[in-house]
Amino acid sequence: MFIFEIIIPGTWLDYDDREWTWKIERQLDSLQSQFFEANLALNLFLSAQSSRASSYSKDVWDADSKRRQEIRQILEEEYTKQGKSYWDSHHEIYLETEIILKREKWQQGIPPREFEHNIVFIYARAFLYALDAFDKFLGVLSKEENVPEVISELHKKISDIFPDLRGVRNTAQHLEDRSRGLGAGRNPKPLDLKPIDNNFISAPNGGALVLNSLNGSKYGSTMADGHYGEVDVCPESMSHLQEILNNILGSFKWHGPKQHKPSV
């Protein structure tokens, strides 16, 4: 488990304007909330990736095959007793065998493979959304009056570190358009799909539409401008976010004892 820690330089902001102070403290709280949400999403993502890699083994396949045969034999005997021909009923027997086997496994707490496949994507998007929300909160904070000048610089740093963040997030939110090959806006135009050439996809002449993709730890999609973009769901991304948040907190004046987060 990866735990990314922060130090808050005090307990309260130390400024005379209490209304302004209260407003800024709430925004700083929101930044912390999105930071820890991203940290949690990262750990869930890594755990799901590990489980996904080891969830289906030859032993499981052999056990399933044996149980299928047992169920099939029971059903064949029942159909024979009912005077039904095996050859006329073998499609029904096959379907009923699959349904019985699946329901047995689900009752044992074994989720469908569709669940196991999708859970890692759900956590990747949760990381993406938390990172995007952090960026949006910081953008709002940077426009507030009397905040330290470094806040704007730190906001720009997010786009430097995660250049595809907004584009990939927008595609995740508008798959209904991208899946039809459309860009962004009220009247979206057809995408001009740009070349892709990495260790996962090779489309040097363009034309490849990629949605909801995982290339190792990198969650990616075709963005509204036709380029393929990625956000890396990894500890290094969280380290960048940790540095930015600590710098944000350290840029303000505080009073009271320092705080260490997260809690036990």
Side-chain angles (χ1 to χ4, degrees), residues 56 60-76 93-102 104-105 113:
Y56 206 73
V60 173
W61 188 90
D62 289 341
D64 287 352
S65 297
K66 181 181 178 182
R67 181 57 184 149
R68 275 192 183 92
Q69 186 176 2
E70 293 170 352
I71 296 169
R72 189 181 302 116
Q73 288 176 348
I74 293 170
L75 292 174
E76 287 174 3
I93 292 172
Y94 171 80
L95 178 61
E96 196 168 346
T97 298
E98 290 299 302
I99 291 172
I100 292 171
L101 175 67
K102 289 176 183 178
E104 285 181 354
K105 291 177 73 70
R113 268 181 281 173

Side-chain angles (χ1 to χ4, degrees), residues 11-104:
T11 309
W12 305 279
L13 290 180
D14 188 12
Y15 296 89
D16 293 333
D17 187 337
R18 293 312 304 161
E19 184 176 343
W20 180 90
T21 298
W22 184 89
K23 180 172 61 173
I24 299 302
E25 284 177 345
R26 298 292 73 74
Q27 294 184 43
L28 294 177
D29 287 344
S30 295
L31 285 169
Q32 293 173 53
S33 177
Q34 294 306 316
F35 174 80
F36 290 121
E37 190 170 311
N39 193 169
L40 172 60
L42 170 65
N43 281 299
L44 292 171
F45 172 81
L46 295 174
S47 176
Q49 267 198 325
S50 177
S51 298
R52 186 185 183 196
S54 60
S55 63
Y56 206 73
S57 65
K58 185 178 183 301
D59 290 342
V60 173
W61 188 90
D62 289 341
D64 287 352
S65 297
K66 181 181 178 182
R67 181 57 184 149
R68 275 192 183 92
Q69 186 176 2
E70 293 170 352
I71 296 169
R72 189 181 302 116
Q73 288 176 348
I74 293 170
L75 292 174
E76 287 174 3
E77 291 175 4
E78 290 178 356
Y79 273 70
T80 299
K81 289 177 182 178
Q82 295 171 16
K84 296 179 180 179
S85 166
Y86 169 79
W87 295 111
D88 291 338
S89 307
H90 70 279
H91 288 302
E92 292 180 29
I93 292 172
Y94 171 80
L95 178 61
E96 196 168 346
T97 298
E98 290 299 302
I99 291 172
I100 292 171
L101 175 67
K102 289 176 183 178
R103 289 176 177 171
E104 285 181 354

Side-chain angles (χ1 to χ4, degrees), residues 115-255:
F115 287 13
E116 292 184 331
H117 171 76
N118 280 300
I119 193 168
V120 70
F121 289 91
I122 290 172
Y123 293 145
R125 288 194 298 272
F127 182 86
L128 173 72
Y129 294 152
L131 190 58
D132 180 69
F134 184 99
D135 177 49
K136 285 186 170 69
F137 276 118
L138 184 53
V140 170
L141 180 63
S142 70
K143 293 179 174 61
E144 294 286 359
E145 293 182 359
N146 301 319
V147 297
E149 292 183 7
V150 72
I151 299 298
S152 293
E153 298 173 16
L154 292 168
H155 182 230
K156 182 180 181 301
K157 190 172 182 179
I158 291 182
S159 61
D160 293 339
I161 297 170
F162 306 105
D164 298 334
L165 172 60
R166 186 59 53 84
V168 174
R169 177 267 179 193
N170 286 347
T171 288
Q173 290 284 59
H174 296 285
L175 286 174
E176 76 284 357
D177 287 334
R178 301 297 180 277
S179 65
R180 294 180 293 149
L182 299 175
R186 182 167 295 179
N187 297 303
K189 296 180 180 180
L191 290 170
D192 177 15
L193 297 171
K194 307 300 183 183
I196 310 172
D197 192 6
N198 54 34
N199 63 345
F200 180 58
I201 302 164
S202 180
N205 297 318
L209 177 64
V210 183
L211 302 174
N212 201 37
S213 167
L214 271 175
N215 177 15
S217 63
K218 296 177 180 178
Y219 178 83
S221 292
T222 299
M223 300 182 291
D225 64 359
H227 288 91
Y228 174 73
E230 292 178 326
V231 172
D232 203 352
V233 187
C234 66
E236 288 74 18
S237 293
M238 275 304 305
S239 291
H240 288 305
L241 205 62
Q242 179 188 42
E243 180 183 1
I244 289 171
L245 180 54
N246 275 321
N247 286 335
I248 292 167
L249 296 171
S251 69
F252 289 91
K253 294 188 298 180
W254 297 81
H255 64 92

